[in-house]
Amino acid sequence: MANALVVSGGGSKGAFAVGVVRHILENTPVNGFSAISGTSTGALMAPLIALGEMNILELIYTSTTTDMIIDKFNIGDRNILGGENHFFGTEPLLRLVKRTYEPRFNDIMALNTPLFFNAVNMQKGTIIAYTTLQDDELIEHINNEFQNKNENRSLVKIRNSDDFIFAIMASSNQPVFMNPINVQPDIPGISQNVDGGAREFIPIRIILELDKAVATLNKANILPSRIDEIYAISNSPLEVQEEPGAFNNLLDMLKRTIHIFQADIAVNDIESIRSIEAGVKFIDKLRNDLSVRHNLSPGQISQLIDVPENPYNGTHPMNLHLFQPKDKLADDGGLEFKPAQMGFMISKGRRVAEEYFNNQQPIRFKT
């Protein structure tokens, strides 16, 4: 049985996901993940989860401080309308990512767990998933599927340690606040890549495409079987939380705008799955009605329903397990890293996961 983990962005709020993952691994039959897709803080933690180094991951999310992530410039000194396109410097984050992952790069690439770091290309508006997959045929197949469906997405192979480091940085760097990243500068052209949450906060889609492509091409070396369970973690509530106070400065107004924007994107990410769930239920009911009420044979029903135009004729069932905090985890949008606060978030993630598994209500759909 294959499964997948999907982790949203959220900066320091990624500590919530650490708690959820720890509970899953320590208190359920799940002992690892067949594929992991992450955006921003989700991309930062994905490799350590894949390696099973949860103690190191929790240490990072309970000891890191803001100055270990960003350099806070004097905004009044920034030439925002001229040559500066971001408020904060990310050299500290780059040092942290290099220190954590450069020694582990070969071990990560040797894993049987494909990783996906999701970013957005500012020039094309494209969602780019940078991946540790090295199967060119599989990558080409998935990109062809995106093109055939006129989707503004692409899958890009990570070729070396530099690609790996800068793919994580691109996925992590929130636009305007942090600098855009050219992940593969040896490729001609301007390519500024930023946090994938600008278009997809909970990056589930690449997991669905991976599952279908592996089945189509019979790539059993990539996944042991079709993916049955997806564990998706949103580090923010899917509903916008009310903020009754006034927003009296540029940064607070910008943070609030991004919060509302990302909450709406996250809802759309999940609603796309719920729409498939509803469509599958309708098709199943229609099959039953045609059989019971109209006495049609299975072959006749198939001729009517199993047509290329039907977007809900998938046959492989999946369960989507969604974890989210009930209330907002931080007032600062996740840009402030406070160890005590992040420790609390880890505990909250554990509690949310425990409550979920005591009363499971997965979203059931077919692909």
Side-chain angles (χ1 to χ4, degrees):
M1 179 180 293
N3 61 24
L5 175 67
V6 179
V7 184
S8 81
S12 63
K13 294 180 291 184
F16 172 82
V18 175
V20 172
V21 173
R22 292 217 75 150
H23 181 87
I24 292 172
L25 295 177
E26 294 170 6
N27 298 281
T28 78
V30 177
N31 58 13
F33 302 99
S34 308
I36 304 176
S37 174
T39 289
S40 195
T41 197
L44 279 166
M45 68 177 63
L48 284 176
I49 295 173
L51 288 168
E53 296 195 42
M54 292 303 298
N55 289 336
I56 298 296
L57 183 62
E58 183 164 340
L59 177 63
I60 290 173
Y61 276 86
T62 53
S63 62
T64 299
T65 55
T66 305
D67 62 343
M68 297 167 67
I69 300 296
I70 55 175
D71 288 321
K72 286 190 173 182
F73 302 130
N74 185 337
I75 294 177
D77 295 335
R78 305 292 283 167
N79 185 13
I80 302 300
L81 299 180
E84 304 288 353
N85 59 12
H86 57 282
F87 289 134
F88 307 135
T90 55
E91 280 298 318
L93 176 60
L94 178 60
R95 289 193 294 269
L96 174 63
V97 172
K98 285 185 173 183
R99 185 168 65 249
T100 303
Y101 288 128
E102 282 185 339
R104 295 175 169 89
F105 174 71
N106 290 332
D107 291 337
I108 293 167
M109 296 302 290
L111 291 170
N112 288 327
T113 303
L115 305 179
F116 301 91
F117 310 136
N118 297 273
V120 170
N121 179 272
M122 295 297 286
Q123 278 65 43
K124 298 178 181 178
T126 305
I127 298 174
I128 300 178
Y130 292 97
T131 182
T132 57
L133 277 173
Q134 298 298 295
D135 190 314
D136 292 332
E137 181 186 21
L138 185 60
I139 292 173
E140 182 180 10
H141 178 88
I142 292 174
N143 280 324
N144 286 339
E145 287 296 302
F146 287 146
Q147 186 174 0
N148 292 339
K149 296 172 185 175
N150 294 317
E151 295 193 32
N152 203 10
R153 296 173 179 267
S154 63
L155 182 61
V156 175
K157 181 173 71 174
I158 289 172
R159 306 165 301 175
N160 50 49
S161 178
D162 284 346
D163 282 4
F164 184 88
I165 297 299
F166 288 114
I168 291 177
M169 289 296 296
S171 183
S172 303
N173 283 13
Q174 196 173 84
V176 180
F177 290 106
M178 304 160 86
N179 53 293
I181 300 292
N182 187 349
V183 177
Q184 297 176 332
D186 56 302
I187 296 177
I190 299 173
S191 181
Q192 294 173 304
N193 299 281
V194 298
D195 186 342
R199 281 201 55 197
E200 188 177 37
F201 191 65
I202 309 174
I204 297 173
R205 182 56 193 282
I206 189 61
I207 295 296
L208 302 183
E209 289 302 324
L210 172 70
D211 175 72
K212 288 187 287 187
V214 167
T216 299
L217 300 178
N218 193 26
K219 297 281 186 177
N221 60 313
I222 304 297
L223 294 174
S225 65
R226 297 293 301 269
I227 293 174
D228 302 294
E229 313 288 333
I230 299 176
Y231 300 90
I233 305 172
S234 173
N235 291 309
S236 298
L238 294 184
E239 294 184 0
V240 177
Q241 305 290 298
E242 182 179 354
E243 294 281 358
F247 301 98
N248 295 319
N249 62 64
L250 176 64
L251 270 183
D252 287 346
M253 183 64 74
L254 182 57
K255 289 177 184 177
R256 180 59 173 169
T257 301
I258 291 176
H259 172 72
I260 294 171
F261 176 63
Q262 288 187 332
D264 190 52
I265 292 174
V267 168
N268 290 337
D269 294 339
I270 298 302
E271 285 305 312
S272 65
I273 302 297
R274 291 194 186 277
S275 68
I276 297 175
E277 178 189 38
V280 168
K281 288 180 178 178
F282 173 77
I283 293 297
D284 288 345
K285 183 179 184 302
L286 181 59
R287 288 182 192 277
N288 184 68
D289 287 349
L290 290 174
S291 174
V292 174
R293 298 174 60 183
H294 299 281
N295 297 316
L296 295 185
S297 69
Q300 290 172 317
I301 295 173
S302 181
Q303 285 183 337
L304 292 171
I305 294 178
D306 297 328
V307 295
E309 293 79 12
N310 177 8
Y312 304 114
N313 63 356
T315 58
H316 177 67
M318 284 188 181
N319 290 324
L320 175 65
H321 307 273
L322 177 63
F323 306 87
Q324 60 172 316
K326 296 177 182 177
D327 303 300
K328 69 176 183 177
L329 296 172
D331 291 325
D332 49 53
L335 285 172
E336 296 290 337
F337 285 71
K338 304 171 183 177
Q341 184 181 54
M342 291 188 290
F344 172 76
M345 294 177 192
I346 290 175
S347 298
K348 180 169 282 191
R350 283 182 174 273
R351 290 197 300 272
V352 166
E354 182 180 11
E355 291 171 5
Y356 175 84
F357 285 108
N358 287 336
N359 184 30
Q360 290 190 47
Q361 291 185 322
I363 302 170
R364 294 183 169 89
F365 63 105
K366 295 180 182 179
T367 60

